[in-house]
Amino acid sequence: MTQSPGQGNALDNLLTESRTFPPSDEFAAQANAQPALYEEAKADREAFWAKQAERLHWETKWDQVLDWSDAPFAKWFVGGKLNVAYNCVDRHVESGHGEQVAIHWEGEPGDSRAITYAELQREVSKAANALTSLGIGAEDRVAIYMPMIPEAIFSMLACARVGALHNVVFGGFSAEALRTRIQDSEARVVITTDGQYRRGNPAPLKPAVDEAVAGAPSVEKVIVVKRTDTEVAWTDKDVWWHELVDSQSDQHTPEAFDSEHPLFILYTSGTTGKPKGILHTSGGYLTQASYTHFNVFDLKPDTDVYWCTADIGWVTGHSYIVYGPLSNRVTQVVYEGTPNTPNEGRHWDIVQKYGVSIYYTAPTLIRTFMKWGADIPAKYDLSTLRVLGSVGEPINPEAWIWYRENIGGGKAPIVDTWWQTETGAIMISPLPGVVSTKPGSAQRPLPGIGAKVVNDEGVEVPHGGGGYLVLDEPWPSMLRGIWGDEERYRDTYWSRFGEQGFYFAGDGAKYDNDGDIWLLGRVDDVMNVSGHRISTTEVESALVSHPTVAEAAVVGASDETTGQGIVAFVILRGGAGADAGGADAIKALRDHVAKEIGPIAKPRQIMVVPELPKTRSGKIMRRLLRDVAENRTVGDVTTLADSSVMDLISAGLQSGK
Ligand code: WTA
């Protein structure tokens, strides 16, 4: 179902946002990206990308920059060969930076570890040898289900090193979600931990793996890192990391793989219940991750301390903790835990402790910090911060200004970066030394990237107009498909504007009068809760899998902190019993969704209703339910099969049923 773009968003008033913040002369003068970058890309796009690819070490150089003859399946840097892990680790040691800290790791309980590039090389080599000893090689799949500990990064790089694909599954997902992702990718090995620290307490993680692996016959071995020292059940597939990996040689010669060799699969929610395994490959992906990280964050490898607060379970962790930053020889902070453990100043304490200069986070967290109060960051020395980033959802101007004033000292440029799991790397963002930033707008495509706002017919809208965001040129880090489902790849992204050959992003967008792009949220049935993509169908299937539920409809309703909150409308089964709609039963339903998908998918609210609004063809009209969920007057009901349904729903809700 497609709504009209921007619907349900109170963002229209944003187009009158007139404040702009030019970079200081000092910042502009020292910036990695200068205005000429736009000109250069415009003059010859392929030559521009070829130049960016030179940022990497290629064992064999490519002979063609882009092969788009089999569109929408792209090949970038055709014929080139490289090893992604070598580019992120070894070459920095070889260029004399082995003693530079790659990762300042900060555990939630307060333990910490500084890992130099030389040490990273040894750790990744050992892990690569361990994978090889298990018979894992090129094109095998390895699932990684771990908290934010160094071994998670070693594991990803070890996979890349031996040419295996990692499939990282967010540690907050349920056993069931893990199982479907392991099965779909047919992973042979799973890497996990005994437990993880969450809000000050150790929580078990391995039981979920045991449950998932019991239903996933492809798995031969489970490697377990001891993190919390929690007692765990043991099966004959299990092996301790410290027993398997620590005894390996720390020497490993990386093999160069084809530029189009698959690097990873990462599952993301689509408009159906089944998550999509987004496939990324090596040369183009690393080129764009590296180029964007260097220019958008203005990274200075010798002096900056960078911190991206994402989890490696999401694409932001892949591209802006692992591949982009490490390929650029970053020194970065990796933090394991929650932002309010042991108190609400934890992030600022970390910024102060390590002298963080670049900080990249999500609007939902910024709004949480706002709620906690400006006096908290004010207690810390944040003067080292010089670039701030935002990603995952539209950032409202109020949060943007708060971020600039209270975290950025009123001067650090904010880069609002738009991109997706599918795009692999940042696509739309201001360049901090070039563009005058505007609160709430991601502004313009990066040099080398083509993006447009078009109407239903695929025609670009004029300045001031709204429509759909499309990408009109192939880009190096674009997805190469959906794992095992070519047709879904074509259907989802390339059929909506097939005639024009545009990639349909699924986001509504507008141009303001200056031609800057404003993202307005999803136009499909994908919700964005705290920057996490969750499909309405996924939550609906989880709800109807509960014995008391006959039917369910789920909508994303706007939420002050999380962007959207999940609101579910359920019809109970005839024999569900009198108290099935009571508080305990509702709680049980919410817990059931958490068990099926993960706590992030727990509905904020569940309403029991006698009927759902449907069109004559049986489609649920979520637009009307969203009106109810957001306490608005219900809109046009004339296309409903039975127009009295909305009255029934409203009456039932008012009587508290
Ligand atoms: C949304 C996260 C507005 C958008 C990197 C997109 C944004 C989806 C922004 C992708 C932004 C991401 N402004 N919306 N700066 N960044 N989005 O795959 O709806 O988890 O389609 O990738 O997040 O989410 P994903």
Side-chain angles (χ1 to χ4, degrees):
M1 188 190 78
T2 308
Q3 332 156 13
S4 50
Q7 191 177 45
N9 282 291
L11 291 177
D12 280 358
N13 58 336
L14 297 187
L15 298 181
T16 56
E17 176 65 61
S18 56
R19 290 167 288 190
T20 56
F21 297 87
S24 67
D25 292 346
E26 196 190 342
F27 190 100
Q30 61 82 60
N32 291 347
Q34 294 293 322
L37 208 62
Y38 288 104
E39 302 309 316
E40 215 184 298
K42 212 187 270 164
D44 187 340
R45 224 173 70 87
E46 290 192 14
F48 172 83
W49 281 117
K51 187 169 162 196
Q52 301 314 320
E54 300 282 1
R55 307 177 55 78
L56 309 178
H57 172 84
W58 295 80
E59 202 55 45
T60 309
K61 209 177 153 179
W62 60 88
D63 30 56
Q64 189 184 358
V65 175
L66 167 66
D67 178 0
W68 191 229
S69 59
D70 186 28
F73 295 90
K75 290 196 181 77
W76 281 87
F77 310 113
V78 186
K81 281 189 172 18
L82 79 171
N83 185 287
V84 168
Y86 173 85
N87 272 283
C88 292
V89 182
D90 306 57
R91 70 173 168 140
H92 306 318
V93 178
E94 289 168 15
S95 69
H97 298 92
E99 294 315 305
Q100 179 180 335
V101 172
I103 298 170
H104 283 295
W105 178 75
E106 178 86 4
E108 194 186 78
D111 47 341
S112 65
R113 182 175 170 191
I115 300 158
T116 63
Y117 275 97
E119 207 176 336
L120 186 61
Q121 184 183 33
R122 292 193 292 270
E123 296 288 356
V124 173
S125 296
K126 283 195 288 187
N129 284 323
L131 288 177
T132 309
S133 77
L134 299 179
I136 295 297
E139 309 216 5
D140 283 326
R141 274 82 63 196
V142 173
I144 298 177
Y145 183 65
M146 295 171 94
M148 290 293 289
I149 56 173
E151 287 82 355
I153 297 173
F154 304 159
S155 300
M156 290 169 74
L157 291 167
C159 288
R161 200 170 178 97
V162 303
L165 289 76
H166 52 70
N167 160 16
V168 183
V169 180
F170 175 54
F173 273 128
S174 66
E176 181 52 22
L178 175 63
R179 185 187 61 77
T180 55
R181 285 160 175 77
I182 291 175
Q183 265 192 320
D184 190 72
S185 65
E186 295 172 287
R188 292 180 58 196
V189 164
V190 180
I191 310 180
T192 189
T193 62
D194 51 352
Q196 59 180 335
Y197 288 100
R198 232 43 209 157
R199 295 175 215 291
N201 296 307
L205 194 62
K206 185 161 179 294
V209 178
D210 294 343
E211 200 183 320
V213 168
S218 63
V219 176
E220 296 158 29
K221 279 281 175 225
V222 177
I223 307 176
V224 188
V225 176
K226 191 177 269 189
R227 170 61 185 136
T228 51
D229 217 356
T230 310
E231 187 108 10
V232 289
W234 210 245
T235 77
D236 55 7
K237 290 184 177 176
D238 298 338
V239 47
W240 284 112
W241 174 286
H242 57 265
E243 283 170 10
L244 174 73
V245 178
D246 289 357
S247 58
Q248 302 288 332
S249 156
D250 62 10
Q251 303 290 310
H252 180 274
T253 311
E255 181 189 339
F257 295 101
D258 193 272
S259 176
E260 283 301 330
H261 187 84
L263 181 62
F264 66 84
I265 306 170
L266 182 60
Y267 286 82
T268 187
S269 291
T271 52
T272 69
K274 189 174 182 276
K276 301 176 283 197
I278 303 299
L279 175 68
H280 282 286
T281 60
S282 304
Y285 170 80
L286 193 63
T287 296
Q288 195 174 328
S290 181
Y291 153 76
T292 51
H293 179 256
F294 183 75
N295 289 295
V296 173
F297 298 105
D298 192 44
L299 182 84
K300 304 288 191 284
D302 293 326
T303 48
D304 273 319
V305 179
Y306 167 86
W307 182 16
C308 166
T309 69
D311 188 285
I312 50 142
W314 310 115
V315 74
T316 306
H318 284 59
S319 303
Y320 297 104
I321 292 177
V322 182
Y323 295 110
L326 293 175
S327 70
N328 287 331
R329 187 168 53 82
V330 77
T331 292
Q332 72 177 322
V333 169
V334 172
Y335 171 53
E336 178 185 35
T338 41
N340 49 354
T341 306
N343 60 55
E344 293 160 350
R346 186 66 187 269
H347 274 214
W348 318 125
D349 183 54
I350 292 173
V351 168
Q352 179 175 280
K353 175 173 172 186
Y354 295 102
V356 171
S357 54
I358 306 171
Y359 178 78
Y360 188 28
T361 196
T364 184
L365 195 56
I366 298 166
R367 292 191 294 264
T368 303
F369 292 142
M370 283 173 78
K371 249 192 343 204
W372 290 345
D375 52 320
I376 294 174
K379 288 186 213 144
Y380 298 85
D381 177 6
L382 307 181
S383 62
T384 48
L385 287 169
R386 62 178 203 91
V387 180
L388 301 178
S390 171
V391 63
E393 47 174 323
I395 177 165
N396 45 312
E398 199 193 344
W400 194 102
I401 295 285
W402 189 94
Y403 194 28
R404 183 178 163 96
E405 292 304 318
N406 295 285
I407 308 302
K411 60 179 198 313
I414 297 177
V415 286
D416 176 6
T417 63
W418 179 90
W419 59 294
Q420 308 178 297
T421 306
E422 292 87 341
T423 70
I426 299 172
M427 303 294 281
I428 305 177
S429 164
L431 287 172
V434 180
V435 177
S436 292
T437 53
K438 261 184 204 173
S441 171
Q443 299 189 288
R444 55 184 82 165
L446 289 176
I449 298 300
K452 274 187 189 159
V453 183
V454 301
N455 65 15
D456 269 312
E457 281 75 50
V459 178
E460 187 168 21
V461 300
H463 289 181
Y468 306 96
L469 181 73
V470 297
L471 303 170
D472 59 346
E473 302 271 9
W475 62 101
S477 63
M478 68 193 292
L479 74 166
R480 299 303 198 259
I482 294 176
W483 186 252
D485 201 342
E486 182 176 326
E487 202 177 306
R488 193 174 179 196
Y489 171 61
R490 291 182 191 275
D491 273 6
T492 312
Y493 307 106
W494 301 96
S495 64
R496 181 73 179 76
F497 296 104
E499 216 170 290
Q500 297 84 355
F502 295 159
Y503 168 92
F504 173 54
D507 279 28
K510 287 189 176 194
Y511 286 128
D512 66 15
N513 295 333
D514 301 327
D516 280 326
I517 297 175
W518 294 72
L519 279 312
L520 303 178
R522 304 285 308 184
V523 294
D524 54 15
D525 292 338
V526 175
M527 299 174 286
N528 190 328
V529 183
S530 296
H532 301 149
R533 276 164 70 169
I534 301 166
S535 94
T536 51
T537 332
E538 236 176 319
V539 180
E540 286 164 3
S541 343
L543 283 166
V544 296
S545 74
H546 192 273
T548 61
V549 177
E551 232 186 309
V554 165
V555 298
S558 55
D559 184 291
E560 225 172 78
T561 308
T562 59
Q564 284 189 311
I566 303 176
V567 178
F569 296 82
V570 298
I571 303 178
L572 297 176
R573 287 196 189 187
D579 59 347
D584 287 351
I586 297 286
K587 181 178 177 300
L589 282 182
R590 296 180 67 237
D591 290 345
H592 178 71
V593 175
K595 185 175 168 293
E596 289 293 304
I597 306 171
I600 51 167
K602 246 188 192 183
R604 180 183 81 185
Q605 200 179 357
I606 296 182
M607 307 193 207
V608 176
V609 292
E611 279 300 337
L612 290 171
K614 290 186 188 155
T615 61
R616 279 170 208 104
S617 61
K619 246 185 169 12
I620 293 174
M621 292 193 67
R622 290 202 177 75
R623 170 172 67 80
L624 299 176
L625 293 174
R626 211 173 291 118
D627 288 340
V628 175
E630 294 177 347
N631 299 318
R632 264 195 310 275
T633 317
V634 172
D636 183 9
V637 296
T638 50
T639 53
L640 282 181
D642 173 0
S643 60
S644 66
V645 164
M646 289 316 293
D647 295 337
L648 260 176
I649 292 177
S650 308
L653 294 175
Q654 270 151 24
S655 69
K657 275 212 261 155

